Amino acid sequence: MRIVPVPCMQDNYAYLVIDEATKNAAAVDPSEHAPVLAAAAEEGVQLRELWLTHHHFDHVGGIEGIAEAVPDLVIRGSAHDHREKRIPKQTTAHEDGDVFTFEGHEVRVIDNPGHTLGAISFFAEGNLCSGDTLFIGGCGRVFEGTMQMMKDSLGKLRDLPRDASVWCGHEYTVKNLEYAAGVEPENSEVAAALAAAKSKRAKGEMTVPGTIGAERSTNPFFRYDVPTIAAGPDDVARFTALREGKDRF
Ligand code: ZN
Ligand code: FE
């Protein structure tokens, strides 16, 4: 399995998940149809499935256009979004812990509500497609869920294997790590990650993928149980202080 990031819109990433044996592919969070179809053509792959992490327009906006070009797509999203009918043309509704196979590759669905309700990540052979729940150096805003939900969701993701790759929904890494550096000025790994991200962006390179292990050392939203990271008597209070601080940053 090979993952190919497809930059879309301002700062979104869609991804092609490619089975090299069959040259069949799934597209994750197609914000727009044109760049995703172009990337599939460039890679010489046939799109079979679309995997949606949540219903926001900058993640599902390309569904209709891809469905026009490609018949019989399997379109996967959460059961919640299916009930709410807010992912266009969704064919398949997933609950937390569902495992499906794509071209023989096992894919696990992780429910991670907070940014939205019915937000899911896809975990396949050491690759995490995390949408707007986990970003490199940060996390999504809490729009529909509660702070407790978002903390629990990130807690679940940080327990994945340290060497798992993180393919997130947006290129927000530099801004996220600038905030992280303010939160933990003594954390030399944050400073090094920020310098590395800035140098990549200066060269026009992407900062994806990250790794779960690096996020555990640098992402404040994985570090809510470090007692000194923010003011508050417990994990939820510290997480809330961190998230509200980022909202104002
Ligand atoms: Zn979103
Ligand atoms: Fe988004």
Side-chain angles (χ1 to χ4, degrees):
M1 164 181 292
R2 187 163 61 91
I3 314 285
V4 174
V6 183
C8 292
M9 302 177 82
Q10 282 286 94
D11 49 32
N12 277 83
Y13 288 125
Y15 295 98
L16 297 180
V17 178
I18 297 173
D19 173 55
E20 294 288 8
T22 60
K23 292 287 177 189
N24 285 333
V28 181
D29 284 358
S31 321
E32 304 174 275
H33 66 276
V36 172
L37 291 171
E42 167 102 350
E43 296 291 334
V45 299
Q46 178 65 46
L47 285 176
R48 300 291 183 193
E49 303 201 354
L50 305 180
W51 303 351
L52 292 309
T53 62
H54 66 297
H55 72 100
H56 284 160
F57 183 73
D58 62 311
H59 299 256
V60 306
I63 294 176
E64 308 269 6
I66 294 173
E68 264 173 44
V70 183
D72 301 325
L73 287 165
V74 173
I75 303 181
R76 302 180 185 276
S78 70
H80 181 89
D81 285 337
H82 193 247
R83 280 194 298 275
E84 299 286 323
K85 298 182 173 52
R86 57 190 192 174
I87 292 179
K89 297 180 176 298
Q90 183 175 354
T91 63
T92 309
H94 286 295
E95 304 279 358
D96 185 39
D98 276 7
V99 175
F100 63 91
T101 56
F102 176 69
E103 303 299 338
H105 307 278
E106 210 168 83
V107 185
R108 179 151 58 95
V109 175
I110 302 170
D111 187 35
N112 40 218
H115 177 65
T116 63
L117 298 174
I120 56 177
S121 291
F122 296 91
F123 185 62
E125 296 181 353
N127 295 291
L128 179 72
C129 293
S130 57
D132 288 358
T133 298
L134 172 63
F135 296 130
I136 299 175
C139 74
R141 277 180 192 257
V142 177
F143 286 125
E144 295 179 7
T146 63
M147 291 290 178
Q148 166 98 53
M149 276 179 190
M150 192 64 164
K151 176 200 81 71
D152 290 347
S153 292
L154 288 156
K156 227 158 145 180
L157 297 181
R158 85 181 175 172
D159 285 341
L160 291 169
R162 295 186 68 92
D163 62 354
S165 297
V166 177
W167 306 92
C168 56
H170 289 267
E171 179 61 65
Y172 289 161
T173 308
V174 168
K175 190 93 202 278
N176 285 339
L177 288 170
E178 283 173 348
Y179 175 67
V183 167
E184 290 192 280
E186 317 278 86
N187 185 331
S188 60
E189 287 177 80
V190 170
L194 175 57
K198 279 183 170 168
S199 114
K200 276 190 178 162
R201 295 306 292 153
K203 288 183 274 182
E205 295 170 8
M206 309 177 204
T207 62
V208 288
T211 65
I212 292 292
E215 294 309 301
R216 290 184 67 126
S217 311
T218 57
N219 188 327
F221 300 100
F222 267 10
R223 296 169 59 75
Y224 50 78
D225 50 2
V226 174
T228 53
I229 201 161
D234 57 30
D235 290 353
V236 178
R238 281 187 292 270
F239 185 90
T240 302
L242 288 167
R243 187 55 257 178
E244 289 178 351
K246 179 63 169 65
D247 289 350
R248 292 188 300 267
F249 183 68

